[in-house]
Amino acid sequence: MIRLDSISKQHGHQILFIDASMSIQKGEKVGLVGPNGAGKSTIFRMIAGQEQPDDGRALVDPGMTIGYFSQDVGEMSGQSAVAAVMDGVGPVSALAKEMAALEVAMADPAQEDKMEALATRYGEVQGRFQELDGYALEDKAREVLAGLSFSEERMDSDVGLLSGGWKMRVALARILLMAPDGMLLDEPSNHLDLESLIWLEDFLKRYDGALLMTSHDREFMNRIVNKIVEIDGGSLTTYSGNYDFYEQQRALSEKQRQAQFERQQAMLAKEIKFIERFKARASHAAQVQSRVKKLDKIERVEPPRRRQSVEFEFRSPPRSGDDVVSFKNVHKAYGSQKIYTDLDFQVGRKERWCILGANGAGKSTLLKLVAGAADPDVGTAPDKGAVKLGASVKMGYFAQHSMDLLDGDETVFESLDSSFPQAGQGTLRTLAGCFGFSGDDVEKPCRVLSGGEKARLVMAKMLYDPPNFLVLDEPTNHLDMATKEMLVAALANFEGTMLFVSHDRHFLAQLSNRVLELTPEGLHKYGGGYTEYVARTGHEAPGLHPGG
């Protein structure tokens, strides 16, 4: 259905692909993986026909429809979310527009002489619209938007008034409603809450076309894909199976390649030693010559390319008291919307609470109330009641707005240096390296950093001089899989207390030992972490039915 045949591609001085090939058949769900900048988006654009390879061919079966979701959503203002989603459905939306225009024309007395022709055309268009199930289209659009956590009110409001994250969901809904023969989804799991993510996962499992997707969400990728295509050093390698299977196979083939490389190096060293030893002796001239020729013909085994693995080790934080934070009779509302009434909740030392709740349940508000107890400038205060931090609690708060507080004129290194003037250059460079800033990356000004780079820098600053209480609001947003793995490994060894919100199920499962579920009926507390919560409730997020 979709094929890349021996493609080569270069951007400026950077060679992305050399004689690389891959294919996707109907029903295959393929995960595209590779480091940032390896060329994943370029592959999407070549398949979508937006970019051409320098050499080779990108082939799509004739008549095959392709839906491409990218992070660049473009302008959509001036229409409701429902209208914007229906707009992307090709023939059906064109027919709906024509019917609307014909209805206006038929109601216009000035067009009376064309009435017969208009009515005939209207009959034709309406017939085709019915054939394509056009009347069910709006219901389907609303169903998809509801799956992506849109309220009825948000569905009917102007897309132009929505935030970037919600516009992304509109663009994604448009592709899902279109139901093309082939879907290209570039990071569809970004900007989604846990409920939307699980709904999308279920939708894509049932989709029967050809799917190519990237995602930094390991669990999401694992449950959907049945094949992985890896971009590595200009070539494309295909692995059967999900992401976990790919990782195992990759590690195995690296091990085999390393052993093969070492065997060849030992053989070459032996041959070179013989040549060096006997090259001056006439009696061994023929043997030496034969071995030199043999060496020239040997195809050299390349050592496996080592993936740069980032590791971060916490210094031990100071010990806090046993009571870390307490909520007593807390009330909080935004306008007429009540978030909490008489909220009582305590966090003890070394507890790791993950907070679950549907959109609008008050997850981030809970974290802001805790942050406000430590610093009114970064958090918020309750309308009634009290939120108090315990003795010797030193809090670190990570929220999406933390990234806006970086000084755009400072470089990454200067930003770290101004936060930790007592630390040596070498220490700060090591810290930057742990969080993915190697070599010249530390000289980048903060204003040009991507969302992921900013998140990594803020995290590095927070964890270098560790607090004993971490309050984290979606800490894995924007992070790639390697950085997430580093963060999970680092936080697993953290000796303090944690309170966090995340939609990444791998992160939730690895790091929580308590669950606080916010529901319209009130709080539910669960001992044991996220994995135990799923086993006990039969669902992965509040508001989802067992197995849903």
Side-chain angles (χ1 to χ4, degrees):
M1 286 191 88
I2 297 171
R3 273 200 347 264
L4 296 180
D5 272 353
S6 306
I7 58 156
S8 296
K9 186 73 184 174
Q10 190 166 342
H11 279 170
H13 295 299
Q14 188 191 6
I15 294 170
L16 293 177
F17 304 107
I18 305 163
D19 201 23
S21 299
M22 64 172 271
S23 69
I24 312 170
Q25 303 303 320
K26 181 176 166 61
E28 281 188 331
K29 296 180 169 73
V30 182
L32 186 61
V33 303
N36 283 340
K40 297 189 286 289
S41 296
T42 303
I43 282 193
F44 284 133
R45 288 196 296 271
M46 286 195 280
I47 294 169
Q50 296 177 4
E51 204 171 313
Q52 295 304 314
D54 300 335
D55 208 0
R57 295 180 304 167
L59 301 166
V60 174
D61 279 359
M64 181 179 177
T65 54
I66 297 282
Y68 174 30
F69 168 76
S70 75
Q71 296 296 301
D72 181 15
V73 296
E75 189 47 61
M76 289 188 229
S77 60
Q79 56 185 340
S80 68
V82 172
V85 169
M86 288 169 65
D87 225 11
V89 185
V92 178
S93 77
L95 290 167
K97 276 185 181 171
E98 191 178 349
M99 275 167 62
L102 287 165
E103 281 162 11
V104 171
M106 287 191 294
D108 182 0
Q111 305 237 28
E112 202 175 332
D113 55 332
K114 298 179 188 165
M115 198 56 69
E116 198 177 326
L118 289 170
T120 304
R121 177 62 187 154
Y122 187 79
E124 290 166 0
V125 174
Q126 190 182 38
R128 180 72 182 127
F129 187 71
Q130 274 175 315
E131 262 176 52
L132 294 172
D133 209 12
Y135 286 109
L137 189 65
E138 183 170 338
D139 289 345
K140 285 182 184 170
R142 288 183 182 276
E143 193 184 315
V144 171
L145 286 169
L148 296 175
S149 298
F150 275 74
S151 61
E152 286 289 332
E153 186 186 349
R154 192 170 257 150
M155 288 180 202
D156 292 316
S157 60
D158 189 332
V159 184
L161 303 175
L162 299 177
S163 69
W166 287 100
K167 282 179 181 165
M168 288 279 187
R169 296 186 196 209
V170 171
L172 178 59
R174 193 181 252 188
I175 304 297
L176 301 181
L177 184 66
M178 179 185 168
D181 303 318
M183 262 195 230
L184 311 175
L185 303 181
D186 193 359
E187 293 295 344
S189 51
N190 275 6
H191 306 286
L192 296 185
D193 53 76
L194 190 52
E195 285 77 8
S196 302
L197 201 60
I198 292 164
W199 178 87
L200 178 60
E201 196 173 272
D202 190 50
F203 185 99
L204 293 176
K205 280 181 190 168
R206 288 181 279 115
Y207 170 65
D208 61 2
L211 172 67
L212 179 67
M213 63 176 249
T214 59
S215 175
H216 291 324
D217 188 313
R218 182 190 196 101
E219 198 59 41
F220 181 70
M221 185 88 99
N222 260 338
R223 295 183 189 200
I224 294 167
V225 305
N226 49 28
K227 190 161 128 177
I228 293 280
V229 171
E230 179 194 49
I231 306 175
D232 190 13
S235 63
L236 294 171
T237 309
T238 298
Y239 295 81
S240 292
N242 66 7
Y243 187 83
D244 281 351
F245 181 75
Y246 146 75
E247 273 209 325
Q248 292 160 12
Q249 290 300 108
R250 191 181 198 287
L252 187 65
S253 78
E254 269 193 4
K255 203 173 168 185
Q256 290 167 343
R257 184 101 166 263
Q258 185 65 34
Q260 203 183 349
F261 172 72
E262 285 167 7
R263 279 197 305 274
Q264 190 182 67
Q265 289 300 303
M267 181 274 289
L268 292 173
K270 197 173 162 189
E271 292 295 322
I272 288 164
K273 194 176 174 186
F274 179 91
I275 291 164
E276 288 299 315
R277 188 175 166 195
F278 294 111
K279 65 182 177 186
R281 297 191 192 176
S283 58
H284 286 73
Q287 280 175 286
V288 167
Q289 218 34 51
S290 153
R291 292 194 183 202
V292 168
K293 278 181 186 165
K294 181 179 147 191
L295 283 189
D296 284 344
K297 284 179 186 166
I298 286 174
E299 193 173 329
R300 298 293 199 267
V301 174
E302 293 290 326
R305 266 184 291 275
R306 292 261 173 244
R307 282 285 160 92
Q308 189 187 1
S309 59
V310 281
E311 286 179 15
F312 177 76
E313 282 186 22
F314 274 98
R315 296 190 295 183
S316 290
R319 192 186 190 284
S320 73
D322 288 340
D323 297 324
V324 175
V325 67
S326 67
F327 288 71
K328 293 260 166 63
N329 304 325
V330 169
H331 289 246
K332 185 68 189 171
Y334 291 115
S336 61
Q337 188 190 1
K338 284 183 181 171
I339 309 290
Y340 308 119
T341 307
D342 281 328
L343 170 67
D344 286 305
F345 173 55
Q346 280 77 40
V347 175
R349 190 172 78 87
K350 288 207 168 185
E351 291 178 347
R352 295 157 169 251
W353 287 89
C354 73
I355 305 168
L356 300 179
N359 256 334
K363 300 187 293 293
S364 292
T365 300
L366 191 89
L367 301 188
K368 284 175 187 167
L369 288 166
V370 175
D375 181 352
D377 290 340
V378 298
T380 190
D383 300 334
K384 209 171 106 186
V387 180
K388 286 192 177 160
L389 292 183
S392 309
V393 171
K394 178 187 173 192
M395 191 189 78
Y397 175 48
F398 177 89
Q400 296 309 303
H401 72 76
S402 316
M403 304 191 292
D404 302 332
L405 305 178
L406 295 169
D407 181 340
D409 293 329
E410 286 186 333
T411 64
V412 169
F413 185 81
E414 287 165 350
S415 188
L416 292 172
D417 194 35
S418 59
S419 294
F420 311 110
Q422 306 305 314
Q425 272 222 12
T427 304
L428 292 183
R429 284 186 181 275
T430 303
L431 173 67
C434 282
F435 283 84
F437 297 103
S438 53
D440 293 341
D441 287 346
V442 294
E443 301 306 328
K444 280 184 179 177
C446 290
R447 90 170 76 77
V448 305
L449 298 181
S450 68
E453 287 170 325
K454 284 179 181 170
R456 295 203 311 260
L457 178 55
V458 170
M459 205 77 72
K461 288 179 159 205
M462 189 170 70
L463 300 181
Y464 174 67
D465 183 17
N468 50 30
F469 180 33
L470 287 176
V471 178
L472 309 173
D473 194 357
E474 296 287 6
T476 61
N477 270 8
H478 307 292
L479 297 185
D480 60 25
M481 278 205 211
T483 312
K484 274 189 197 179
E485 288 300 325
M486 178 276 290
L487 191 60
V488 166
L491 292 176
N493 296 318
F494 174 59
E495 294 168 17
T497 306
M498 284 172 66
L499 183 67
F500 64 95
V501 172
S502 175
H503 63 245
D504 188 298
R505 285 160 292 175
H506 181 62
F507 191 86
L508 290 169
Q510 295 293 314
L511 296 174
S512 59
N513 60 20
R514 303 274 191 288
V515 174
L516 179 69
E517 184 184 55
L518 306 179
T519 72
E521 294 76 47
L523 294 187
H524 299 294
K525 299 170 194 170
Y526 296 86
Y530 178 72
T531 307
E532 291 87 342
Y533 163 83
V534 174
R536 282 172 65 182
T537 62
H539 58 239
E540 295 188 296
L544 291 176
H545 301 296

